[in-house]
Amino acid sequence: MVDEDSGEFESLELALERSIMNDACEKTTSTETPHVVSKSTPDLHHEDDDGSLKFVSVFDNDSDLPKPVKASSDLLPSQQVGENQQRSQLTSSTHSDKSEFSSLPNGMDKFDSALQDFDDRLGLHIEDERFKDCQSFILIDNHEAIRVKDVNELVDKLGCGADQDVKFVSIFGNTGDGKSHTLNHTFFGGKEVFSTSSDQKSCTVGVWAAFNPLLQAVFLDTEGLLGISDNENQRTRLLLKVLAISDVIIYRTRAERLHNDLYRFLGDASEAFMNYFQADLEKVSRKHDSNIHDLGPVAVIFHETTHTDVLSGKDANTPELQLRTGFQKLSRDLKAFAELKYVATKTTRPPTDFKILETVICEQLKDFSKRSPRKPAILFETLQVLNSKFSGDIETETALTFPDQYFTCKSVCLSCGVRCLRSMNHSEDHFSKKRCKFQHQFENKIYLCKKCVDNGEEDCLVLPKTSASEDGVWLGLVKYAASGYVLECRKCGIIYRSRQYWFGNTDPDRGNAVVKTEIRHVWPGLNTNLQGTHNAARRLIDGVHSITDVISSFSAKPTKMMSDWFNDQIAPTYWKPNSEILECHQCKTSFADNDSKHHCRRCGEGFCDECTHYRRLVPERGWGGLEVRVCEKCCKTDPNSDSTGSEGEVPQVTARKVAEGVTGTIGLVKNAVDYPLEYIKDSARPSYWIPDDKIKQCCVCEKNFNYKLKVHHCRACGLGVCSDCSKTSKPVPSRGWDHEVRICDNCANMPCL
């Protein structure tokens, strides 16, 4: 009724209830559609003849009315979802007209109450009878503990048979993206099997499971990513283990544009599956004789947008191909997944259409070519295996708004793994406040002269050496054999010898200590071996080499001139004389004084070694039945094309062949002598030197080494360097070289060696 004075409804709820009861009676007596009044009707109410108030429905047309509700047992899951969508649309439409009542004082609360009763009367919340026994339970808590004792308890909570073959479907995504809601409305007819909440806190903590008897599948609801967690790494590990046991995974996202979170999570999941989970899954599968054709799950990305368009295929560029391109850009691969599928829907007006997702998942559940159904016991045992192997404490990663690595030097200590605290592109030495740990391969325990430290001196580093700085090569070697290694301070001189006495010798840092020890960081690019190198043997070899190098430098040019004159005397007449050969006939490279010149046995021109590495028969020049050195052009020439040889040239060719035989014999003797010398050199190599066989190019100019470009070692860093990039000589006391020695150009620019 209406109060004439106040203009308020006295009993709106009573009027609504009366109208609903009248409509319900009409539906039971007739199948015809009730009378509809358009929204355009100016008045929402009118008075009957008796003065009573009648409520008028406000739907646009017949399509806005709810259809007669079928028995829930006659509906498939997708049809049940369709009914729920119609009901939701009806509710949404009715709520949209709530503004009509805003002009009515005290009418809002009454309208809400009456509308709820209206929904209930029409049966909008009738649950599907087929899922009335379905309920979820916690399978794994957020601390990775399995919450069921054994297989029997698991089967009892699922409500399926122990020998029943089922598939496992899990859902992942960020918190708040509606994972639980998606499972409820897609696979359980809208029943709230998995708990949902409008609260800010995550409605799902840990992993929850429920069994769908129609689809013969176990659905796993997981905790959302990016939610508040005391250990995000532990949560991610839990999700990866759940993903590993699943046959089909759904990644649910409501982002308007796909985020990096999706690509990183699935990419990391693929890597974890291949590196850590696959072997254990295969063992469990073989134990139960499970017929799994492909151990990787099928990944389905369910993408829902409101304002932006979803991915679509254009010019054979399918959404799946576009997704794989995104994974490649982030250096992620999906080789662990049997298949990647993209399911999308654009929801401009709720509710969400889940039919396409249900269709895709049902197809995968029926497809046994990739994954076969398994018994619940296999799921339980697989979880136990993965949990026993991958559980326990894990470091907590704290994400900072401005982490140090954004602004600090990227160098990391090779021994303890701490970062340098100096700013990017700094020119000072690397620095860290944290203490380092000793590792024998770096020998990062150093000695400091105790006397100098006590006197406040800074430069007091002492290194174990085989000989003192004032000792010569031979004398130092003799002293080392008699008294052992020495510790020499720049200011205090020799402070320790390892075998100074016949007995009773102690370590330098024990007893009457002469040094203090310190563990230092080992930064990349610098000296990774901080201790002395015991280089007496190498110093001896360097001394011998210095003598031979002097003799060779003085005798090289006259010897080369004599060799060229002798070769010209025994050369065939068609050969070009060595004195006239100034450059390679093919590549035009100029010859240096000590470069070797080679003749093509067919045309007689002069070439470098690289242009005459071809071999072929040249009988027309008198070289018999052996393959000899020729240039590229002559190698490709037809042997029968011409013949320029003559009888008079054969004796000269024979003389050259005899000379080559003698030279080859001398070369074999030289190689036999050089081999033990190279072995001795490698044995005398200091520990920080890179072995010759592992050096492929110069550490400065990056030129590849060959028979012309010889390998030298920098005495500071120990890397291989060519002669042109190691012309600087400096003492390297940190390596035990107290006199000037060869160093590379990189180390020459360093302030302290």
Side-chain angles (χ1 to χ4, degrees), residues 538 678 681 689-699 703-715 718-723 726 742:
R538 183 67 213 186
E678 292 297 326
K681 286 171 58 179
W689 279 22
I690 305 299
D692 289 2
D693 58 342
K694 295 183 179 180
I695 300 176
K696 304 301 180 183
Q697 59 184 13
C698 174
C699 65
K703 291 182 179 180
N704 293 328
F705 290 113
N706 50 43
Y707 75 98
K708 285 186 176 181
L709 193 63
K710 301 299 182 182
V711 179
H712 300 279
H713 281 86
C714 171
R715 269 53 175 175
L719 300 178
V721 63
C722 66
S723 177
S726 58
R742 181 193 299 269

Side-chain angles (χ1 to χ4, degrees), residues 418-434:
V418 301
R419 290 178 63 94
C420 173
L421 295 182
R422 301 202 185 274
S423 62
M424 286 185 171
N425 304 317
H426 64 88
S427 57
E428 303 91 345
D429 294 337
H430 295 293
F431 170 76
S432 177
K433 294 181 180 179
K434 295 184 179 180

Side-chain angles (χ1 to χ4, degrees), residues 122 149 167 182 432:
L122 288 180
K149 296 183 298 184
K167 281 194 172 185
T182 300
S432 177

Side-chain angles (χ1 to χ4, degrees), residues 228-248:
I228 298 176
S229 174
D230 56 352
N231 195 330
E232 186 176 350
N233 290 339
Q234 186 180 40
R235 176 177 59 191
T236 303
R237 183 174 65 184
L238 169 61
L239 298 181
L240 293 179
K241 288 188 287 189
V242 173
L243 183 146
I245 65 174
S246 304
D247 299 299
V248 181

Side-chain angles (χ1 to χ4, degrees), residues 417-540:
V418 301
R419 290 178 63 94
C420 173
L421 295 182
R422 301 202 185 274
S423 62
M424 286 185 171
N425 304 317
H426 64 88
S427 57
E428 303 91 345
D429 294 337
H430 295 293
F431 170 76
S432 177
K433 294 181 180 179
K434 295 184 179 180
R435 299 186 57 149
C436 192
K437 62 181 180 181
F438 174 74
Q439 293 200 38
H440 65 88
Q441 65 268 32
F442 299 119
E443 296 186 9
N444 54 333
K445 181 174 71 172
I446 64 170
Y447 293 142
L448 301 175
C449 178
K450 185 176 181 298
K451 182 178 179 181
C452 293
V453 171
D454 294 340
N455 293 333
E457 301 288 346
E458 294 183 357
D459 188 13
C460 52
L461 177 67
V462 293
L463 299 172
K465 299 189 298 183
T466 54
S467 59
S469 57
E470 68 271 9
D471 294 336
V473 175
W474 301 99
L475 179 60
L477 186 60
V478 172
K479 286 186 177 182
Y480 173 71
S483 304
Y485 71 88
V486 300
L487 293 178
E488 183 179 11
C489 175
R490 294 183 181 180
K491 297 181 179 180
C492 304
I494 298 176
I495 60 176
Y496 175 80
R497 283 189 180 273
S498 61
R499 295 195 300 272
Q500 185 174 1
Y501 308 104
W502 288 103
F503 62 91
N505 295 293
T506 60
D507 292 336
D509 55 342
R510 295 182 180 179
N512 189 15
V514 295
V515 296
K516 290 186 176 181
T517 60
E518 180 181 320
I519 308 299
R520 288 194 177 180
H521 294 287
V522 183
W523 303 107
L526 302 179
N527 295 342
T528 57
N529 189 307
L530 301 179
Q531 284 283 18
T533 53
H534 303 296
N535 52 15
R538 183 67 213 186
R539 291 174 63 183
L540 177 61

